[in-house]
Amino acid sequence: MSSFNLLDKNSNFNILLAGIIGLFIGVGVARFSYTSLLPSMLEDNTLSLTFSGVLASLNYVGYLSGSIFAIFIKDINTKVKYFRLGIILCILTTIIMGITTNDIVWLLGRIIAGFGAAMALVVGAAIVMMKLNFEDKTKAMGIYFSGIGIALSSSDIISRYVLSISTWQNSWIVLSLCALLVAFYPLYILSFDKHLKQNVQKHPFNKALFSPFVIILIAAYFTEGVGFVIQGTFLPTIIKSLEGLEQYAGLTWLLVGLAGIPAAIIWMKLAHKYGSINMIIIAMSIQIVGILIPTMTTNVYLNLFCGVLYGGTFTGLVALFMNLGGKLAGANPVMLMGALTTAYGIGQVTAPLYAVSLTQWTGNYNYALYVTATIVFLGVLMLLIAKKIQTLNL
């Protein structure tokens, strides 16, 4: 029995652990700590609601540009370089949020944080997938995507603990220090011992990939980008705005992270059994219910449950759409995954802007949530039509 070595670059356990730590830094710290800390930042008037929407939107612009850029990184050694750069950018842009309140610096910081997060997630996922030594990597990638939930809940616990004894500025600084402490591990493990010679296959742009079914799938993923981002940016702030629920805002977001941990694995299993499209339709329908709960009731348990519904669907939906895109694309998964990610990203960039406009106009979040639920519902309708079109059994 060989001794257990956490520094073995080729151990599947270590590769997944390093991948999940990469998600903690890129998704938990650099992207979603903003959601945890937003209620406190709005409360002491450091930030206006309008500017908070602009910052969120720019973070997604950075993420979108990073995701598109990632499609064109063909060589695995270059991927490793960009992954490392992304992790470093994530840490630096998190520190910025704690040590300055300069608007321009924050705007640039959130764009760069988004780009860094895309390197950590999109490029990181490609490296993890390449390094894993399994016949069928679907289950293992399900475990990797569960890291999104781990990233959200762990970064939330850290930021809320610091908030309870100090300020939101110090939360940003402590988060960046935590990220710095663990960063060496993914930087070391998610690399290759020798320079890999790779036969880079040139895949010409294949128009045939974009069948009516695939175009509808891409449009539906755009609507899911909208559905994902409103709660992903404002959920604690929305809960905090409800009478009597002020102190539960943070807890709702923690539940999002915890529910997100098993979600990708469970949805992938169900998709294997009942078909991806069926599961996507069900998950998006559940998400609509979660979006509408805060507009209908101030019941504590129902509003906490809305966090569970959100966390339990969004990680699963990312995994389901990406996996289906990969299957449909066959030899050229990057092209379709890139198109899907771009549509999702456009949804994410536009949604915070209409959300803050409607909220400022009406004085509460209800109309922003109604519009969001309607857009996601249109996505569900599109997929029901797509199912009719698609006679092939996927």
Side-chain angles (χ1 to χ4, degrees):
M1 178 82 184
S2 63
S3 64
F4 183 62
N5 177 8
L6 270 174
L7 294 177
D8 175 5
K9 284 188 181 184
N10 300 311
S11 139
N12 285 328
F13 176 84
N14 293 357
I15 293 163
L16 284 171
L17 177 63
I20 289 169
I21 292 171
L23 289 176
F24 164 72
I25 297 168
V27 179
V29 172
R31 266 184 107 196
F32 285 111
S33 298
Y34 182 70
T35 308
S36 289
L37 294 169
L38 187 56
S40 307
M41 293 166 78
L42 289 169
E43 197 171 40
D44 72 1
N45 295 324
T46 307
L47 198 55
S48 70
L49 184 63
T50 306
F51 192 58
S52 77
V54 173
L55 284 176
S57 215
L58 283 175
N59 186 235
Y60 297 121
V61 169
Y63 184 75
L64 175 59
S65 54
S67 305
I68 296 168
F69 177 74
I71 298 167
F72 299 100
I73 313 173
K74 297 284 187 275
D75 171 60
I76 192 69
N77 304 299
T78 314
K79 280 192 170 97
V80 171
K81 277 182 202 146
Y82 275 104
F83 172 74
R84 290 175 164 176
L85 172 69
I87 293 287
I88 293 161
L89 291 176
C90 285
I91 296 169
L92 291 175
T93 52
T94 306
I95 293 178
I96 282 173
M97 296 299 290
I99 58 177
T100 174
T101 52
N102 180 299
D103 286 0
I104 306 294
V105 175
W106 273 13
L107 289 167
L108 289 171
R110 292 321 285 158
I111 294 177
I112 296 165
F115 181 84
M119 296 301 105
L121 176 82
V122 182
V123 180
I127 298 169
V128 168
M129 202 160 186
M130 175 128 187
K131 285 199 64 139
L132 282 172
N133 187 15
F134 287 115
E135 272 301 298
D136 178 20
K137 297 183 181 180
T138 311
K139 271 191 190 139
M141 288 310 282
I143 295 169
Y144 168 74
F145 280 115
S146 76
I148 295 175
I150 296 169
L152 290 194
S153 41
S154 53
S155 62
D156 180 62
I157 289 167
I158 294 165
S159 55
R160 283 207 301 147
Y161 174 70
V162 179
L163 262 183
S164 70
I165 53 173
S166 186
T167 59
W168 59 261
Q169 284 93 340
N170 286 337
S171 283
W172 284 111
I173 294 166
V174 170
L175 281 163
S176 54
L177 292 175
C178 291
L180 186 63
L181 283 174
V182 293
F184 79 93
Y185 195 71
L187 294 180
Y188 174 74
I189 297 286
L190 298 182
S191 62
F192 297 88
D193 290 323
K194 48 189 181 296
H195 208 69
L196 285 186
K197 288 276 178 283
Q198 232 187 342
N199 298 326
V200 177
Q201 285 178 293
K202 288 275 181 277
H203 290 297
F205 181 75
N206 183 1
K207 274 203 300 233
L209 267 183
F210 293 90
S211 63
F213 177 77
V214 166
I215 289 166
I216 292 175
L217 193 68
I218 292 168
Y221 202 38
F222 161 80
T223 70
E224 172 48 29
V226 172
F228 156 78
V229 82
I230 292 300
Q231 289 181 297
T233 307
F234 298 112
L235 186 62
T237 314
I238 292 168
I239 302 299
K240 193 167 184 172
S241 73
L242 298 174
E243 205 176 325
L245 298 188
E246 295 82 4
Q247 72 270 39
Y248 295 102
L251 182 57
T252 317
W253 188 246
L254 179 61
L255 289 172
V256 169
L258 295 175
I261 295 171
I265 302 166
I266 294 167
W267 285 110
M268 292 297 270
K269 272 194 173 158
L270 290 168
H272 186 68
K273 198 168 175 183
Y274 301 107
S276 294
I277 285 289
N278 294 331
M279 287 307 105
I280 290 171
I281 289 169
I282 291 169
M284 284 174 74
S285 304
I286 292 171
Q287 198 172 72
I288 293 168
V289 176
I291 290 168
L292 290 174
I293 285 173
T295 68
M296 295 186 288
T297 176
T298 53
N299 179 291
V300 176
Y301 300 107
L302 283 172
N303 278 287
L304 289 175
F305 187 54
C306 115
V308 174
L309 292 182
Y310 173 62
T313 52
F314 92 83
T315 48
L317 281 161
V318 171
L320 288 168
F321 270 100
M322 285 298 168
N323 192 47
L324 180 58
K327 269 204 261 180
L328 290 167
N332 189 8
V334 168
M335 186 63 74
L336 240 187
M337 284 179 173
L340 281 165
T341 302
T342 305
Y344 191 65
I346 294 166
Q348 291 179 339
V349 170
T350 47
L353 299 176
Y354 79 69
V356 292
S357 307
L358 282 171
T359 304
Q360 297 241 288
W361 183 49
T362 59
N364 63 38
Y365 287 93
N366 289 359
Y367 284 90
L369 293 169
Y370 294 145
V371 171
T372 306
T374 307
I375 292 170
V376 180
F377 180 65
L378 288 173
V380 172
L381 289 180
M382 285 182 215
L383 291 168
L384 289 167
I385 295 163
K387 253 188 87 171
K388 291 254 192 303
I389 293 174
Q390 186 70 323
T391 46
L392 296 166
N393 187 20
L394 286 162

